[in-house]
């Protein structure tokens, strides 16, 4: 285990039965209290992509905004916020996807993803892959390319990487459970 992996798994706080019974919520916010570790996480997230062309970083609401923006700043590329329906003020592109019960809609400003660009998708955690693959659909709807996926945490037992692999094999995280 790398020292970054050890420090991150030490900082992550497990919250049982949040937001509903049976879910063990991985709370990454304690990392934000440590500015040094926050900076190390930014570098660790970028590292697997350092020899690739990345034209923008897309972050998924809301915990994907913390490091999505930091990564974009460090890579000196635009940051693209993807939000839940009804939050973005300008004209939007939408994508509806299935949840365990029902469905959800995510949105992006219609001019935020540039045609032909290589977009790195970031969120705090990969579970089933539904959210990240919905974000990938927004990228593809704009004729842009998914350069890869970046997470702090991957929950391997939920097999989200199987869902994302056909979109891009570049799927990286700092810790896995
Ligand atoms: P999924 O679409 O199933 O891959 O779920 C990923 C999204 O739900 C991410 O935005 C995560 O922040 C959130 N999420 C799902 N499961 C957890 C969990 N156990 N702990 C923290 N966040 C979670």
């Amino acid at each position: 285990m790398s020292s970054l992996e050890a420090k991150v798994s030490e900082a992550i706080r497990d919250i049982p039965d949040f937001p509903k019974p049976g879910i063990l919520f991985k709370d990454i916010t304690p990392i934000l209290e440590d500015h040094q570790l926050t900076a190390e996480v930014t570098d660790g997230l970028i590292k697997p992509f350092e020899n690739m062309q990345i034209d923008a970083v897309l972050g998924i609401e809301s915990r994907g905004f913390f490091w999505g923006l930091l990564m974009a700043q460090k890579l000196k590329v635009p940051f693209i916020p993807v939000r839940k329906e009804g939050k973005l003020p300008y004209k939007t592109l939408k994508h509806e996807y299935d949840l365990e019960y029902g469905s959800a809609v995510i949105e992006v400003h219609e001019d935020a993803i540039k045609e032909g660009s290589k977009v790195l998708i970031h969120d705090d955690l990969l579970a089933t892959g539904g959210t990240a693959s919905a974000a990938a659909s927004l990228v593809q709807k704009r004729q842009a390319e998914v350069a890869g996926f970046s997470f702090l945490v991957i929950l391997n037992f939920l097999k989200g990487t199987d869902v994302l692999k056909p979109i891009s094999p570049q799927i990286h995280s700092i810790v896995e459970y």
Side-chain angles (χ1 to χ4, degrees):
M1 193 188 271
S2 74
S3 73
L4 179 59
E5 188 182 352
K7 283 189 262 185
V8 168
S9 62
E10 176 95 341
I12 287 172
R13 180 164 53 190
D14 285 352
I15 315 282
D17 300 320
F18 182 88
K20 51 186 179 183
I23 306 278
L24 182 63
F25 192 88
K26 297 284 182 188
D27 177 19
I28 52 103
T29 63
I31 303 169
L32 300 169
E33 291 172 23
D34 181 341
H35 69 86
Q36 181 64 42
L37 183 55
T38 296
E40 283 177 45
V41 167
T42 311
D43 292 341
L45 289 169
I46 287 173
K47 205 166 193 319
F49 302 96
E50 63 193 0
N51 295 319
M52 291 173 58
Q53 189 190 329
I54 305 293
D55 299 318
V57 178
L58 179 156
I60 302 171
E61 178 175 355
S62 56
R63 290 176 299 276
F65 292 172
F66 299 144
W67 277 278
L69 179 58
L70 290 170
M71 290 162 76
Q73 283 286 299
K74 197 116 199 194
L75 291 168
K76 298 185 167 37
V77 298
F79 173 69
I80 303 166
V82 161
R83 301 206 61 181
K84 289 164 193 144
E85 191 173 30
K87 305 275 188 185
L88 287 168
Y90 186 58
K91 286 178 261 177
T92 62
L93 188 67
K94 299 178 201 296
H95 185 77
E96 187 174 355
Y97 64 106
D98 293 331
L99 296 174
E100 201 180 343
Y101 302 104
S103 66
V105 176
I106 55 168
E107 289 186 314
V108 68
H109 276 150
E110 65 171 21
D111 58 355
I113 302 171
K114 307 297 177 210
E115 193 179 326
S117 62
K118 296 184 192 311
V119 179
L120 175 57
I121 295 176
H122 169 76
D123 202 356
D124 65 329
L125 180 143
L126 176 67
T128 64
T131 312
S133 63
S137 298
L138 289 173
V139 171
Q140 290 165 339
K141 274 184 190 173
R142 287 282 295 139
Q143 273 79 51
E145 201 180 301
V146 177
F149 296 95
S150 151
F151 306 95
L152 271 74
V153 181
I154 293 180
L155 300 181
N156 275 322
F157 58 95
L158 292 171
K159 309 224 180 288
T161 51
D162 291 350
V163 175
L164 302 185
K165 250 182 232 156
I167 305 167
S168 169
Q170 294 292 335
I171 307 165
H172 299 283
S173 71
I174 291 172
V175 297
E176 293 178 35
Y177 296 98

